[in-house]
Amino acid sequence: MEEVHLEDIAEAASVSVGECCRCFQNMVRTTPNQYLMEYWIEKSKELLMGTEMSVTEVAYAAGFSDSSYFIQCFRKYEGLHLENIENVKIFIWNV
């Protein structure tokens, strides 16, 4: 997956980074970083449910560059610890 930085998006639109963030916030109603984090978490949930990948493999496949950070973010956004992956799959399936 190719990394895209906020500076790249702003440059492509010929606006400043600040203006890019303001436009994004106005259109999507969230910050670019928050949007990306939510996307990565949703992607990781799909991978956890649909594959036999390890937590580390899921972290990298979903877009995280560090599996420890992924575990921390997953816990924050989903309220779940990834120690028991089967319990996580049951929870995701029932949501």
Side-chain angles (χ1 to χ4, degrees), residues 40-59 62 70 74 78 80-82 85-86 88-90 92:
W40 286 346
I41 294 294
E42 287 304 312
K43 181 71 175 168
S44 69
K45 287 168 38 179
E46 291 172 15
L47 292 168
L48 287 168
M49 288 302 299
T51 69
E52 295 298 320
M53 296 169 78
S54 71
V55 171
T56 300
E57 291 169 327
V58 166
F70 164 64
F74 195 90
E78 297 300 317
L80 295 170
H81 298 273
L82 290 171
I85 199 69
E86 290 308 313
V88 172
K89 288 182 179 186
I90 291 167
I92 293 170

Side-chain angles (χ1 to χ4, degrees), residues 7-30:
E7 292 81 8
D8 301 327
I9 297 168
E11 184 179 327
S14 299
V15 297
S16 69
V17 170
E19 182 64 17
C20 182
C21 288
R22 280 187 290 282
C23 289
F24 193 95
Q25 178 85 31
N26 287 337
M27 298 296 289
V28 184
R29 302 287 184 233
T30 189

Side-chain angles (χ1 to χ4, degrees), residues 56-78:
T56 300
E57 291 169 327
V58 166
Y60 292 116
F64 288 87
S65 58
D66 179 272
S67 61
S68 296
Y69 182 60
F70 164 64
I71 291 167
Q72 175 186 354
C73 291
F74 195 90
R75 183 175 27 231
K76 177 182 174 185
Y77 284 86
E78 297 300 317

